[in-house]
Amino acid sequence: MSGLSTPASADPPPAPERPSYGPPGPYGPYGASGPYGPYAPYRAPGGPVPPNPVTAWLRLSAPDRRAGATPRVVLLALLTGLLTAWLLYDGLGANLLICGTATAVGAGCAARAAGRRIRPWTVVWSVLALVLLAVPVRWEAGWPTLLAVLGALGLASLALHGGRRWPGVLLALPGLPEQLVPAVRWAWTGMAGRSLPGRGRIVPVLKALAVAVALLTVFGLLFASADAAMADLLGGLSPDLDLGQLPARGLLFVLGTLTALGFARIAAGPRRWDRTVIRPGRERRRLEWALPLVALNLMFGVFVVLQAVVVLGGADAVLSNTGMSRSAYARQGFWQLSVITVLTLVVVAVAKRWAPRTTAADHRVARILLGLLCVLALAVVASALGRMWFYVDASGLTRLRLWVLVVEVWLGVVFLLLITAGLTRRTGWLPRVVVLSGMLTVAVYGLMGPDAIVAEQNVSRYEQALRTDPHGAAIDLRNVRDLSADAVPALDRLPEPQRSCALELIGQDLGAEANPWYATGASVARARKILAERPPVDSPVFGRRPCDRAGLGYEGW
């Protein structure tokens, strides 16, 4: 007993020290529930630290192994940076495709060093990325080019990651930014442990060249300032270098090198985003889940029936009953229907996550209700497209109207894919095909020349109006004046003074000096030729400019 008891004269055991990260609370020195906050589980001193959810998620997707950077990969990245600094400074054209191809070659070398094999979907994503980079080769408009470049970067990342499931596909698309900084450390580490062949011969030569350049620069500047003939001689021998371009070209070099290294690092060991676990939501009871969907389907059905009545009754009857103009009726509902289309996709995704799935009957009810909602959503898409076409027929086409038409068509394709997946009961193909349809839409939108289509539609409407009603014919010049050089062939058919007014801003943007061939699209060369043969008339007539004489009829959003 004495061995188990504490002598009365002995000092009591010291109280546990309060940790520095939390004040003592009523439940002990660690507060209500431990040192990690009021909602964290209690952890005894020295026990394991609870895992960070974000860190655990990233660790789960980390590559099993990553090959080191090879001298060839680093050299190709530096060459890509030099190409970017040299070619992309003057504009966009074939240079973007050249730099993209060089980046792809570097990533391919890194993948080969890592022992990776080419798969069919890798080829599909890579080819489509290069097709997107070909958009500025043909057209000059900025918005389609921006979409094409962003799409190409996403597809290149997806090609190297190789995702299949929704997490793998969606998280791989923006996978490049997180690689830029680690790629530098990856390249440095890979090169630090290698002995370069011929280093003993190359390094002394490089040092000698650097010293020679420094000496020639210092003494050349002194001789040039001392003698005019020497200055003329040295000026003819030295390359024409604009020091004002160095910061921009240096930034392009860094950007091109980092991009090439980032893709190479992905190829050497991509994250496996497909390992991301997305647990299904808590299963709801059938009535609790189905009742809202039944009500929503009924509302969609009522709208579809009303639209059928409108179509059968004729648009003129609708306009007479509502007292609205053609453009006002179309404009009133298009945006709301577009929002409804997007929200329907959200509803389908959320409902699929919380759907009952215990029995076969639960699966059957889910397929029926969600499939019916997708079918009715197709009718909403058709109605939105009809209203927009109605509006374009009344007021002409613009960049915004064409873009939303293309997006609405793509949303209809997505609903068709969802319906197909529900009928086949196999959804493994769905994530990649949805992304493929979206990127094909971006490629088609860019390659078809949106500005050229807008100009062609407006000019054709004006020409037809001149034939049918010469006195009432008008063209919205503000819509076409802001277009790019892609619109010049169509705008060249306008009569004066509308032609000169429409081409005024485009001619100013083109300027007198042409860019190099690699920084110029085919449409720019065509526009320059047209404007050189028939320049716009920009001289005032009776004190009025061409746009003043043409008038700027404007209606729209």
Side-chain angles (χ1 to χ4, degrees), residues 140-141 451 483-489 506 510 523-524 526-528:
E140 195 262 343
D451 283 12
L483 299 177
S484 63
D486 305 340
V488 169
I506 299 176
L510 290 177
S523 65
V524 174
R526 184 167 56 248
R528 287 186 177 278

Side-chain angles (χ1 to χ4, degrees), residues 410-448:
W410 175 67
L411 291 175
V413 172
V414 172
F415 279 113
L416 285 175
L417 294 175
L418 292 176
I419 294 172
T420 305
L423 293 176
T424 59
R425 303 184 184 181
R426 299 179 62 184
T427 60
W429 54 269
L430 187 60
R432 289 184 289 191
V433 174
V434 168
V435 173
L436 178 62
S437 66
M439 293 302 174
L440 283 174
T441 301
V442 174
V444 171
Y445 175 74
L447 292 175
M448 71 182 183

Side-chain angles (χ1 to χ4, degrees), residues 23 30 117 156 165 182 225 227 233 249 435 452:
Y30 291 96
R117 294 177 298 174
R165 299 170 54 241
S225 62
D227 185 80
L233 176 63
R249 290 188 183 272
V435 173

Side-chain angles (χ1 to χ4, degrees), residues 49-395:
V49 179
N52 188 330
V54 177
T55 305
W57 173 57
L58 292 176
R59 189 181 300 114
L60 181 65
S61 63
D64 299 328
R65 58 176 296 272
R66 176 177 283 119
T70 63
R72 180 178 299 178
V73 170
V74 176
L75 179 60
L76 286 173
L78 293 174
L79 290 177
T80 303
L82 291 175
L83 281 175
T84 304
W86 173 37
L87 299 178
L88 292 186
Y89 181 83
D90 297 307
L92 296 181
N95 48 14
L96 199 60
L97 185 59
I98 295 172
C99 294
T101 304
T103 303
V105 172
C109 291
R112 183 178 180 182
R116 300 183 63 189
R117 294 177 298 174
I118 298 178
R119 300 182 182 275
W121 277 103
T122 303
V123 177
V124 171
W125 301 133
S126 302
V127 171
L128 186 53
L130 293 177
V131 170
L132 287 171
L133 292 180
V135 169
V137 177
R138 184 176 181 185
W139 304 106
E140 195 262 343
W143 172 242
T145 298
L146 176 62
L147 287 177
V149 171
L150 293 178
L153 291 174
L155 284 179
S157 178
L158 180 57
L160 297 175
H161 280 94
R164 296 183 179 183
R165 299 170 54 241
W166 282 112
V169 171
L170 297 182
L171 293 176
L173 288 172
L176 176 63
E178 70 151 345
Q179 300 286 340
L180 297 181
V181 175
V184 178
R185 185 170 61 252
W186 171 72
W188 180 267
T189 304
M191 297 302 296
R194 294 177 179 269
S195 58
L196 298 179
R199 182 176 180 178
R201 297 189 302 270
I202 296 176
V203 173
V205 173
L206 293 178
K207 290 181 179 180
L209 287 176
V211 173
V213 170
L215 291 175
L216 290 177
T217 300
V218 173
F219 285 95
L221 291 175
L222 292 174
F223 278 122
S225 62
D227 185 80
M230 190 68 173
D232 183 66
L233 176 63
L234 293 177
L237 295 176
S238 62
D240 187 11
L241 180 62
D242 187 358
L243 296 180
Q245 298 179 2
L246 288 180
R249 290 188 183 272
L251 181 61
L252 287 174
F253 171 77
V254 172
L255 182 62
T257 304
L258 286 179
T259 302
L261 285 177
F263 281 126
R265 186 174 186 268
I266 296 175
R271 282 193 174 275
R272 301 301 182 182
W273 294 115
D274 275 339
R275 296 173 182 171
T276 303
V277 178
I278 299 181
R279 296 181 177 85
R282 184 171 61 87
E283 183 179 357
R284 303 292 178 175
R285 295 181 179 179
R286 187 182 301 179
L287 179 62
E288 179 185 1
W289 177 87
L291 183 60
L293 281 182
V294 170
L296 189 60
N297 278 324
L298 288 176
M299 177 173 287
F300 271 65
V302 170
F303 176 80
V304 171
V305 171
L306 288 178
Q307 295 304 298
V309 172
V310 168
V311 172
L312 295 177
D316 294 334
V318 175
L319 297 178
S320 62
N321 292 334
T322 59
M324 303 172 66
S325 65
R326 292 167 61 91
S327 60
Y329 174 75
R331 185 171 63 246
Q332 180 197 39
F334 174 78
W335 292 112
Q336 292 89 332
L337 294 180
S338 299
V339 172
I340 288 173
T341 305
V342 176
L343 288 180
T344 304
L345 285 175
V346 176
V347 169
V348 171
V350 173
K352 182 68 172 62
R353 175 175 173 80
W354 300 95
R357 48 189 176 272
T358 302
T359 65
D362 290 334
H363 289 282
R364 190 180 308 111
V365 170
R367 285 199 306 272
I368 291 174
L369 291 180
L370 293 178
L372 180 60
L373 184 60
C374 290
V375 171
L376 294 174
L378 280 177
V380 174
V381 170
S383 178
L385 291 174
R387 287 173 185 253
M388 176 51 70
W389 194 255
F390 202 26
Y391 189 33
V392 169
D393 184 61
S395 302

Side-chain angles (χ1 to χ4, degrees), residues 454-529:
V454 170
E456 179 64 33
Q457 198 270 348
N458 282 275
V459 171
S460 298
R461 290 179 70 251
Y462 182 63
E463 290 174 340
Q464 183 169 356
L466 285 176
R467 291 191 294 267
T468 57
D469 185 13
H471 299 288
I475 183 172
D476 189 351
L477 290 174
R478 281 193 173 90
N479 278 344
V480 298
R481 271 169 55 86
D482 294 332
L483 299 177
S484 63
D486 305 340
V488 169
L491 299 180
D492 184 56
R493 305 203 312 260
L494 290 173
E496 294 292 351
Q498 285 83 358
R499 176 186 178 275
S500 295
C501 177
L503 296 176
E504 180 182 15
L505 296 180
I506 299 176
Q508 294 175 3
D509 291 338
L510 290 177
E513 185 176 352
N515 290 333
W517 65 269
Y518 51 79
T520 305
S523 65
V524 174
R526 184 167 56 248
R528 287 186 177 278
K529 181 179 179 181

